[in-house]
Amino acid sequence: MTGRAVARVTRRVIEHNCGVLKQRLGAAELCAVVKANGYGHGAQAAADAALAGGATWLAVATANEAAALKTDARVLVMGALTPEDLDTALAAGADVVVWTREFVDAVASRGAPARVHVKLDSGMGRLGTKDPREAAELCDLVAEADGLELAGLMTHFATADDRGDDHFPDQLARFTAFVDEVRPRHPGVTVHAANSAAVLRDPAAHFDMARCGIATYGLDPFGSDPFEQDLEPALQLESYVAAVKRFEPGDSAGYGRTWRASEPTWVGVLPIGYGDGWRRALSNDADVLVRGRRHPLVGTVSMDNVTIDLGPETDVEVGDVAVLIGEQGGERILAEDVARRIGTINYEVTTGLLPRTERVYE
Ligand SMILES: *Cc1c(COP(=O)(O)O)cnc(C)c1O
């Protein structure tokens, strides 16, 4: 038996994935990215498991995420910060990222010691300065400011997951040139650029540290099969069969009658829906495992329930465990499979699991 919407997260699997990444990284450090509630897995549990698996840093997107973490490890807040966010981040003892003179002044004006990373926008087109000269000046400014420590140089790749594209090598070349110019003046800095895909794609992107999110959870940064990279999914999404009923031809399941039985069959009802983060776009377009067999999700996903076609003969009973993401009896459904069905990425599938989905840690 299991609950109505349960994300079962196995810490040991996150440790394993960090071990795989550490092995790829060699001497470079691993910074585990636990933003957005650890991509839906639970930030604290993910952080603890990643540190046990060899990560030495943590990264989050927001100041509040940093403040919520209980850890002795270094924490980097990667995102943009309002003045209030900056106070929160510094009070939490987190490292922050700068890319303007104004923001360096804002950090310095707090009068408290702060560790600062300068971000070059080498081609992501988001946060960071695009001008390597300005980035280099910011490094000198930070290093000279009272109380501030120049802790890192960073950039972020736009297309590391798109093997064979030519933008990634361009970004890498631009960032490498910047590092070669700045590092001799600031030999203590930690240089970091790679996300999960970049770690697996090119050792030249490893530098001193890599910021890995998706791969630590055992999801494939390239969107295909994590097992090909020795990664294992850490999250299994489960529900259970709350009702089994006979359908005659023409009987319909769910809102809008988007599915009707074409022949006599049995339908199972699972008490999980888009209110738990199981997306409505999966209506008539997903598989669910029960008793180690694949059954099609039929009808419209509603807020609290979905229906599955069990076929004309079934041994499925009320109380049977249903697996929406994960493995049962040798059958497997990957978050990547779910993502492909609805035109999104594995990141969004697990991050989109809502608070009503209970997290159970093992
Ligand atoms: C989210 C994020 C990462 C982690 O990316 P993955 O693809 O999940 O490994 C790294 N760096 C920055 C700046 C990020 O925002």
Side-chain angles (χ1 to χ4, degrees), residues 21 31-35 39 59-61 76 78-79 97 119 124 126-127 154-157 160-161 192-199 210-217 219 221 347:
L21 291 166
C31 171
V33 180
V34 298
K35 62 192 178 186
Y39 294 41
V60 291
L76 170 65
M78 300 184 292
V97 181
K119 184 164 194 178
M124 177 63 155
R126 252 173 23 180
L127 304 178
M154 67 185 288
T155 195
H156 191 39
F157 296 112
D161 59 333
H192 49 106
N195 56 2
S196 300
V199 168
R211 306 181 306 267
C212 295
I214 199 77
T216 65
Y217 305 102
L219 301 171
Y347 295 69

Side-chain angles (χ1 to χ4, degrees), residues 48-213:
D48 294 343
L51 294 168
T56 43
W57 285 60
L58 301 171
V60 291
T62 76
N64 287 335
E65 288 174 333
L69 281 176
K70 293 185 190 66
T71 182
D72 296 327
R74 287 284 284 278
V75 177
L76 170 65
V77 180
M78 300 184 292
L81 301 170
T82 66
E84 192 186 347
D85 293 337
L86 175 58
D87 290 333
T88 304
L90 295 180
D95 292 29
V96 298
V97 181
V98 305
W99 54 85
T100 64
R101 214 168 257 281
E102 291 70 31
F103 199 68
V104 174
D105 292 343
V107 180
S109 75
R110 296 307 193 269
R115 286 184 292 240
V116 171
H117 300 240
V118 171
K119 184 164 194 178
L120 178 72
D121 177 4
S122 60
M124 177 63 155
R126 252 173 23 180
L127 304 178
T129 170
K130 291 169 85 159
D131 180 358
R133 212 174 20 183
E134 183 182 26
E137 285 165 12
L138 290 175
C139 290
D140 298 338
L141 194 65
V142 169
E144 286 156 18
D146 267 352
L148 302 195
E149 178 191 330
L150 179 65
L153 309 178
M154 67 185 288
T155 195
H156 191 39
F157 296 112
T159 58
D161 59 333
D162 183 7
R163 282 195 174 106
D165 87 301
D166 51 15
H167 189 63
F168 172 83
D170 272 3
Q171 279 198 266
L172 183 55
R174 223 166 285 148
F175 183 64
T176 303
F178 165 68
V179 171
D180 288 347
E181 197 231 306
V182 171
R183 204 202 299 249
R185 290 204 301 285
H186 303 286
V189 291
T190 300
V191 176
H192 49 106
N195 56 2
S196 300
V199 168
L200 301 176
R201 175 170 171 168
D202 189 352
H206 293 177
F207 296 99
D208 304 323
M209 181 167 86
R211 306 181 306 267
C212 295

